[in-house]
Amino acid sequence: MDEQNETGIYIFCGIQTNHDEKFEAIELEGEQRETFTIPYKDAAMVAAEVPMKIYHPNRENLMMHQNVISNVMAHNDTVIPISFGNVFQSKEDVAVLLENLYPQFEKLFPEIKGKIELGLKVIGKKEWLESRVNDNPEVEEMAQTVRGKSEAAGYYDRIKLGGAAQKIFANMQDEVKSSIYTPLEEKAEAAKSNDPIGEKMLLNASFLVDRDKEEAFDEKVNEAHEEWKDKVEFNYTGPWPAYNFIDIRLTVEET
């Protein structure tokens, strides 16, 4: 077969279903592609036939991948997300993959049925962060020491000054975790505190929430935002499938 015309099977997510399902067609690099399911027992992979090549995670491709999963989530309450860019040689290969993954899927289905992931990033406002550091007596004392010394003589004092600021920032992260994360964790089915990104982020959390309780959870987030809005910004996202609560390894066993 001409390599340029060779096609493969791109997979988006796994679902629990006993029916042959179709979802909206996708547009991939200017061409319409039908989506379909490849079934095994009460599970199926949502897939599309695409040109066989490596797909780069640019904004357009990532949006296409996420839009398919969002569309599937609107019609199915048990969705296992698959990471971007997985293309297999044939439907048969995907069927083998699904058969191999089925024991994991069977365990996951009851755990994620009817549940969504919501993300919350809490970013400190620059003025508040700086005021907390600058108003600290220990930092002020060290800063005075550094100001009165030459560049070389103040070197170790500056290291200590940086360490003191980091300690204050760590205390602020603990404060946010206690005041914002812990009450939300109690309202969720599961919660995960991920590593913060960037020097102003105080919290980077994911919550697994029952769809029926999403409104109550939103209200709890709004309450926390009202309390903290002068000091921090909230970046609240979702609903997503349970990305942070699922660890699926995609391998097709050698035959």
Side-chain angles (χ1 to χ4, degrees):
M1 183 184 288
D2 182 344
E3 194 173 320
Q4 284 198 326
N5 295 327
E6 191 179 348
T7 60
I9 306 299
Y10 185 108
I11 58 173
F12 297 94
C13 55
I15 57 174
Q16 185 174 32
T17 182
N18 288 304
H19 310 289
D20 184 23
E21 298 191 37
K22 283 202 169 186
F23 301 98
E24 287 177 13
I26 60 164
E27 183 171 310
L28 181 64
E29 299 183 350
E31 283 194 40
Q32 288 280 316
R33 303 274 170 182
E34 294 298 320
T35 57
F36 50 84
T37 51
I38 299 170
Y40 178 77
K41 295 188 176 178
D42 65 338
M45 284 290 192
V46 178
E49 190 169 348
V50 300
M52 174 60 85
K53 65 175 193 173
I54 294 169
Y55 288 90
H56 297 291
N58 57 40
R59 179 176 171 76
E60 191 179 351
N61 286 344
L62 288 170
M63 284 294 291
M64 175 276 299
H65 183 92
Q66 184 54 52
N67 287 342
V68 171
I69 296 176
S70 296
N71 177 244
V72 172
M73 283 181 70
H75 298 89
N76 190 294
D77 67 355
T78 313
V79 179
I80 295 176
I82 303 295
S83 58
F84 172 83
N86 285 283
V87 185
F88 291 83
Q89 292 281 350
S90 65
K91 289 182 181 179
E92 290 73 25
D93 277 347
V94 176
V96 170
L97 170 72
L98 184 52
E99 187 176 348
N100 291 340
L101 291 177
Y102 186 77
Q104 292 179 67
F105 276 28
E106 195 175 26
K107 183 173 177 292
L108 282 167
F109 281 153
E111 292 175 10
I112 64 166
K113 185 177 178 66
K115 296 179 180 66
I116 54 173
E117 179 176 315
L118 299 166
L120 177 63
K121 292 179 174 66
V122 176
I123 297 104
K125 290 185 176 178
K126 190 172 179 235
E127 302 77 14
W128 180 64
L129 293 175
E130 286 179 352
S131 70
R132 283 290 296 266
V133 172
N134 295 336
D135 292 348
N136 184 279
E138 185 186 353
V139 170
E140 178 55 29
E141 189 180 329
M142 283 189 198
Q144 292 284 5
T145 306
V146 170
R147 283 188 207 111
K149 293 185 179 180
S150 68
E151 184 77 18
Y155 176 72
Y156 291 106
D157 290 313
R158 272 192 295 278
I159 291 175
K160 284 195 288 185
L161 183 61
Q166 286 175 352
K167 188 177 173 185
I168 294 163
F169 192 74
N171 288 340
M172 283 192 277
Q173 287 178 325
D174 289 342
E175 208 177 306
V176 164
K177 194 165 186 177
S178 171
S179 177
I180 299 174
Y181 176 81
T182 302
L184 290 174
E185 183 182 22
E186 289 167 5
K187 292 285 182 186
E189 301 294 316
K192 196 171 182 181
S193 180
N194 306 302
D195 290 335
I197 306 157
E199 54 189 32
K200 291 194 291 180
M201 190 176 291
L202 296 162
L203 180 69
N204 180 16
S206 303
F207 301 93
L208 192 65
V209 177
D210 195 302
R211 280 179 193 258
D212 296 339
K213 297 175 182 173
E214 183 183 0
E215 201 173 314
F217 190 86
D218 287 350
E219 189 54 45
K220 199 77 180 166
V221 172
N222 289 336
E223 285 173 20
H225 180 257
E226 194 60 33
E227 184 184 340
W228 281 80
K229 65 184 180 184
D230 295 334
K231 302 170 183 176
V232 301
E233 292 171 358
F234 275 29
N235 182 3
Y236 184 43
T237 59
W240 310 108
Y243 284 109
N244 282 282
F245 301 92
I246 289 171
D247 182 23
I248 293 288
R249 303 202 182 282
L250 299 184
T251 53
V252 178
E253 287 182 2
E254 296 293 332
T255 55

